Amino acid sequence: MNSVLIMMWERQVKEYFRNKYRMLATLMLPFLFLIAFGFGISPMFEQTGNGNYIQYLLPGIIGMTILMGSTMNGMSLIWDKKFGFLKETLVAPVSRTSLLFGRCLGGATTSIFQGIIVLILGILLMGFQITDMLLLLIAIPFMFLIALFFNLLGTSFASVFDDMQSFPIIINFLVMPMFFLSGALFPINNFPDIIKFIASINPFTYCVELLRFGFGTVVEFNVIFSFSILISLIVFLGIIGTHLFNKIEP
Amino acid sequence: MSIYYFKKGEKMKTIIEVKNLTKKFNNVIAVDNISFNVKEGEMFAFLGPNGAGKTTTIKILTTILSPTEGKLKLGGYDVNTQEKKVRENIGVIFQDYSLDDELTAYENLYYHCVLYSIPEKERKPKIEDMLNRVGLLDRKNEFIGTFSGGMKRRVEIARGLLHSPQILFLDEPTLGLDVQTRSLLWTQIKKLNKEKKVTIFFTTHNLEEAEKIATKIAILDKGKILIQGTAKEIKKTTKTSSLEKAFLKLTGYDIREQQADPTDKFRKRFRK
């Protein structure tokens, strides 16, 4: 296999696990959401007859963990631009596509790790139940693809922007609406039409749907449909991302 | 590689060919229609005041910036169309650090080996030999982030010499280095040049250094080449007694505004 791709993957993973504080920080927000929404909304949700809220919520929170962790991985590219490691890789006789995908696959791996930690927390703290172990085998690859997609998104943005201060703000500006208007926290059915429409063009909606399917919760869209959307988006961003990454002039 | 000529009975090929190179950032002209040739095995010094266009030229030659206009050939390969071939044949030590702080010295060098497809078996001995040469072998497993500026530079020197490039680019390699590290750097570079016939292309503000080391010099100002030749030739043409005097005579005594690198200016467009 492509040794440069593996090298970039290894580097991203290594650096993630080396920085314990960053590791904890990435898990903090999902943990808070899980606790706050889990304990806060759960009784109301169940009173309205929508079923067990934790079963509904956890896939959404895992999705959020991946969404935020993955897009934020773009920061590592900005970091590399600023502190020079990017230049070292760009003057080397290697394909930039491998550099980009190695980076994104490494980021995706660390995101899955975060997602799995949140899953374990959900099981241990909130009593989340895995209904079907076989489906879990689908859930993990889904998590990976979602993570890859958002890594590509974050890295594409990072290819264009150079500023360390504004990048997290821009990303939050993008990620927050995606998260709240997706059905990750509440069923979209209850939303007004305009928000329903926004949710239907929000890629994250389909990601959450796929996770719901993987964890055996009720889904609103056809799984094949959601899956095709995710794959098309990965291909689309793969092309855009490669183009933008190729254009970087450090 | 078409031009051959005889000098001291030795055949020398042209290894860097630059013809009418121009680079504009928006409307700022960083490099203005320059042409020069570097012969194989030469130690070519690229001199000039701040903002003269040295770094921009090096960035273009090393394929990380694309020229606005001009033809460039490195080792016979076109810089615009045969980037990969060019990259295979060059090594670069940048002006600013390009190490990964969160990796150890050994890992930084190891990843360099991967990037330049050095065979797996050769990696470890090569890395250790190089680290030994720059006196950092005992610290190979420490993170770059804990190293001082001079030590980082030494790691970069070791890394730049890991693969044997045909042409080695050094952008102000001795900036901020102590006498010991500077001497170590030039000893290693000269050795590489002599033993492996590596062509050296470097920029510096230290004119004494340039005079001592370079076999050929080009002086650049405001994006234009003012003069090129050996130190002797330049002194003769300008009727001066040292390279520094020649430099000042050519570029004037005005202190340049410490401009941001043109790329930085360009980047600002994207900020906010």
Side-chain angles (χ1 to χ4, degrees), chain A residues 25-31 33 60-75 107 111 114 146-147 150-151 153-154 167-168 171-180 204:
Chain A
T26 52
L27 291 169
M28 204 55 215
L29 199 61
F31 179 68
F33 264 86
I61 299 293
I62 291 173
M64 181 197 87
T65 314
I66 295 172
L67 166 72
M68 292 187 176
S70 294
T71 42
M72 231 8 130
N73 275 332
M75 198 65 196
S111 291
Q114 293 165 27
I146 295 164
F150 287 112
N151 263 284
L153 186 71
F167 182 75
I171 286 298
N172 271 332
F173 209 76
L174 193 79
V175 160
M176 284 301 173
M178 269 186 163
F179 170 55
F180 283 111
F204 189 58

Side-chain angles (χ1 to χ4, degrees), chain A residues 78 158 170:
Chain A
I78 296 203
I170 294 162

Side-chain angles (χ1 to χ4, degrees), chain A residues 19 30-31 35 40-41 76 78 97 108 118 131 141 151-152 154 165 175 189 204 207 209-210 213 216 222-223 229:
Chain A
N19 197 328
F31 179 68
I35 299 283
I41 313 271
S76 98
I78 296 203
T97 314
V118 172
T131 44
N151 263 284
L152 282 167
Q165 262 118 29
V175 160
N189 283 339
F204 189 58
C207 299
E209 280 288 301
L210 286 173
F213 178 80
N222 184 310
V223 180
I229 285 188

Side-chain angles (χ1 to χ4, degrees), chain B residues 40-103:
Chain B
E40 190 175 27
E42 251 177 352
M43 292 190 116
F44 192 93
F46 214 47
L47 310 179
N50 290 323
K54 304 180 297 284
T55 300
T56 306
T57 308
I58 285 205
K59 280 185 175 169
I60 294 169
L61 283 170
T62 54
T63 75
I64 53 175
L65 268 184
S66 53
T68 312
E69 263 170 65
K71 278 223 148 192
L72 296 98
K73 273 189 169 181
L74 259 74
Y77 299 112
D78 192 303
V79 172
N80 293 318
T81 53
Q82 294 165 293
E83 286 171 328
K84 193 161 179 231
K85 281 280 174 203
V86 171
R87 287 176 190 152
E88 274 168 15
N89 291 308
I90 60 170
V92 196
I93 296 178
F94 293 104
Q95 188 174 4
D96 31 357
Y97 298 113
S98 62
L99 297 166
D100 190 335
D101 274 0
E102 295 184 43
L103 296 174

Side-chain angles (χ1 to χ4, degrees), chain B residues 105-119:
Chain B
Y106 185 88
E107 285 167 335
N108 262 289
L109 266 59
Y110 189 85
Y111 285 166
H112 187 86
C113 291
V114 179
L115 288 170
Y116 288 86
S117 346
I118 292 171

Side-chain angles (χ1 to χ4, degrees), chain B residues 117-136:
Chain B
S117 346
I118 292 171
E120 231 168 309
K121 272 187 203 156
E122 293 172 28
R123 287 176 192 169
K124 198 175 177 223
K126 249 188 176 157
I127 293 169
E128 289 184 343
D129 172 46
M130 277 303 163
L131 282 175
N132 193 25
R133 281 203 224 178
V134 296
L136 287 171

Side-chain angles (χ1 to χ4, degrees), chain B residues 9-241:
Chain B
E10 207 182 336
K11 236 181 204 177
M12 283 168 90
K13 297 184 271 186
T14 301
I15 197 154
I16 304 177
E17 260 185 277
V18 176
K19 230 184 216 170
N20 307 106
L21 169 67
T22 300
K23 177 72 188 176
K24 287 183 195 161
F25 294 98
N26 297 326
N27 289 318
V28 185
I29 300 176
V31 178
D32 190 2
N33 194 18
I34 64 169
S35 302
F36 62 90
N37 288 327
V38 179
K39 304 258 169 341
E40 190 175 27
E42 251 177 352
M43 292 190 116
F44 192 93
F46 214 47
L47 310 179
N50 290 323
K54 304 180 297 284
T55 300
T56 306
T57 308
I58 285 205
K59 280 185 175 169
I60 294 169
L61 283 170
T62 54
T63 75
I64 53 175
L65 268 184
S66 53
T68 312
E69 263 170 65
K71 278 223 148 192
L72 296 98
K73 273 189 169 181
L74 259 74
Y77 299 112
D78 192 303
V79 172
N80 293 318
T81 53
Q82 294 165 293
E83 286 171 328
K84 193 161 179 231
K85 281 280 174 203
V86 171
R87 287 176 190 152
E88 274 168 15
N89 291 308
I90 60 170
V92 196
I93 296 178
F94 293 104
Q95 188 174 4
D96 31 357
Y97 298 113
S98 62
L99 297 166
D100 190 335
D101 274 0
E102 295 184 43
L103 296 174
T104 65
Y106 185 88
E107 285 167 335
N108 262 289
L109 266 59
Y110 189 85
Y111 285 166
H112 187 86
C113 291
V114 179
L115 288 170
Y116 288 86
S117 346
I118 292 171
E120 231 168 309
K121 272 187 203 156
E122 293 172 28
R123 287 176 192 169
K124 198 175 177 223
K126 249 188 176 157
I127 293 169
E128 289 184 343
D129 172 46
M130 277 303 163
L131 282 175
N132 193 25
R133 281 203 224 178
V134 296
L136 287 171
L137 185 58
D138 51 335
R139 306 192 65 163
K140 65 173 183 173
N141 290 326
E142 286 175 41
F143 289 105
I144 294 294
T146 65
F147 282 18
S148 73
M151 284 161 70
K152 282 186 190 171
R153 200 39 140 192
R154 272 144 71 195
V155 177
E156 289 202 311
I157 296 165
R159 187 179 66 180
L161 307 181
L162 260 181
H163 69 289
S164 325
Q166 267 193 57
I167 312 165
L168 183 62
F169 290 92
L170 302 122
D171 196 0
E172 288 183 34
T174 53
L175 197 74
L177 289 188
D178 63 9
V179 185
Q180 285 82 357
T181 317
R182 209 156 60 208
S183 143
L184 171 94
L185 172 82
W186 289 123
T187 319
Q188 293 293 344
I189 300 289
K190 276 195 252 175
K191 204 172 147 196
L192 200 69
N193 174 260
K194 242 193 178 152
E195 286 172 5
K196 296 194 173 162
K197 293 267 170 287
V198 177
T199 308
I200 309 293
F201 187 101
F202 70 100
T203 72
T204 180
H205 282 305
N206 188 332
L207 296 174
E208 238 175 88
E209 201 171 84
E211 195 170 356
K212 228 166 57 192
I213 284 149
T215 55
K216 207 178 165 197
I217 293 164
I219 296 177
L220 196 73
D221 192 17
K222 292 173 186 143
K224 284 197 165 96
I225 291 183
L226 303 175
I227 197 168
Q228 42 184 323
T230 61
K232 227 182 208 169
E233 285 165 3
I234 290 175
K235 282 188 279 186
K236 207 173 158 193
T237 324
T238 54
K239 299 188 182 72
T240 47
S241 57

Side-chain angles (χ1 to χ4, degrees), chain A residues 10-11 15 18 87-88, chain B residues 96 100 107 111-112 267:
Chain A
E10 185 189 295
R11 169 183 181 256
E15 291 187 359
R18 271 182 189 167
K87 256 191 276 180
E88 152 80 358
Chain B
D96 31 357
D100 190 335
E107 285 167 335
Y111 285 166
H112 187 86
R267 276 179 188 162

